[in-house]
Amino acid sequence: MHSGRPILYSYFRSSCSWRVRIALALKGIAYDVVPVNLVKDGGQQFSAEFKAVNPMQQVPALKIDGITLSQSLAIINYLEDTHPTPRLLPQDPKKRAQVRMITDHIVTGIQPLQNQGILKQMGEKNMEWAQNCIGFGFQALEQILKHTAGRYCMGDEVSMADLCLVPQVYNAERYKVDMDPYPTITRINKALLELEAFKVSHPSRQPDTPAELRA
């Protein structure tokens, strides 16, 4: 079935999966996709078959070079170590630390609070909860980016921070967050969405994207 290429277990709308798809696209790594529908059949991530791939029962997971990796940042860091061009972490230690800081703000400070599992628990208040969590995180992020941004999150080079920012803005738009207070985030997001790697990895262009949501 597969050609020895990396296999990405992904869901079209998963922001964590999208981060990895961007990294693979930027680094020119061809891969095969195994869609894992997080909604259908009560959530295909809970199947025994997928639990054997990732015991945390989350996407993404990537089979590559004889190992299986989960957690988007662990995957992206591995791709960075094994395919260093183009670089996603600056060489300057201060800038590198700032990229990791921005990344962590999104990956640990915003996204987990509004992921599907949490929102399910929130019931009728799920939209309000998501808006509050994202809004609080974006207030901080906007202030940070005012100091670090050029065209993108860190100057004019695409970095790991950008791979996390774009999917998070997509989530914000899905949950109808007012983006007017965040002009820097909005500007960077728009610039990134013009890049081919961000276009081909977009949720509207995946093998498992429903027909009505396709670009």
Side-chain angles (χ1 to χ4, degrees):
M1 176 185 170
H2 294 287
S3 56
R5 301 199 304 184
I7 301 170
L8 179 66
Y9 295 80
S10 174
Y11 179 54
F12 80 101
R13 200 179 251 166
S14 154
S15 59
C16 301
S17 299
W18 189 3
R19 296 169 193 156
V20 173
R21 295 196 302 260
I22 300 167
L24 289 163
L26 282 168
K27 290 179 180 293
I29 302 169
Y31 62 97
D32 295 320
V33 176
V34 175
V36 180
N37 193 308
L38 303 186
V39 180
K40 197 175 170 187
D41 308 326
Q44 293 174 349
Q45 70 273 31
F46 300 121
S47 69
E49 186 185 11
F50 185 67
K51 192 176 181 183
V53 175
N54 181 10
M56 278 293 282
Q57 300 171 296
Q58 296 170 334
V59 290
L62 184 69
K63 287 187 175 179
I64 187 169
D65 300 337
I67 59 172
T68 302
L69 293 170
S70 57
Q71 297 298 336
S72 62
L73 283 192
I75 296 170
I76 293 166
N77 276 301
Y78 177 75
L79 298 177
E80 180 75 351
D81 288 341
T82 55
H83 297 76
T85 310
R87 193 172 57 230
L88 296 177
L89 281 170
Q91 286 182 309
D92 176 80
K94 290 177 183 175
K95 290 182 179 177
R96 184 179 282 242
Q98 286 174 304
V99 165
R100 287 184 163 139
M101 173 182 70
I102 295 162
T103 300
D104 280 352
H105 269 297
I106 297 167
V107 171
T108 66
I110 303 175
Q111 192 275 330
L113 297 172
Q114 48 88 100
N115 71 14
Q116 188 182 295
I118 296 290
L119 293 183
K120 210 182 230 180
Q121 307 270 342
M122 298 309 296
E124 291 174 9
K125 290 193 170 179
N126 64 350
M127 186 71 88
E128 183 188 349
W129 172 268
Q131 289 172 347
N132 288 341
C133 292
I134 296 169
F136 181 78
F138 274 11
Q139 285 170 26
L141 203 54
E142 178 72 16
Q143 295 308 309
I144 292 165
L145 291 173
K146 280 179 183 173
H147 298 288
T148 64
R151 184 164 174 78
Y152 308 124
C153 285
M154 176 56 62
D156 296 328
E157 300 290 323
V158 174
S159 72
M160 221 173 270
D162 299 301
L163 276 59
C164 298
L165 182 79
V166 168
Q168 188 56 60
V169 174
Y170 176 81
N171 281 357
E173 290 168 348
R174 273 181 65 209
Y175 297 125
K176 299 180 171 52
V177 172
D178 176 12
M179 293 298 293
D180 286 348
Y182 317 117
T184 313
I185 293 173
T186 301
R187 174 182 64 73
I188 295 167
N189 183 65
K190 189 178 175 201
L192 288 163
L193 285 173
E194 291 169 6
L195 303 177
E196 187 62 20
F198 288 78
K199 288 180 184 174
V200 298
S201 58
H202 194 279
S204 64
R205 292 178 60 177
Q206 299 314 302
D208 58 327
T209 306
E212 66 273 14
L213 297 177
R214 287 189 172 276

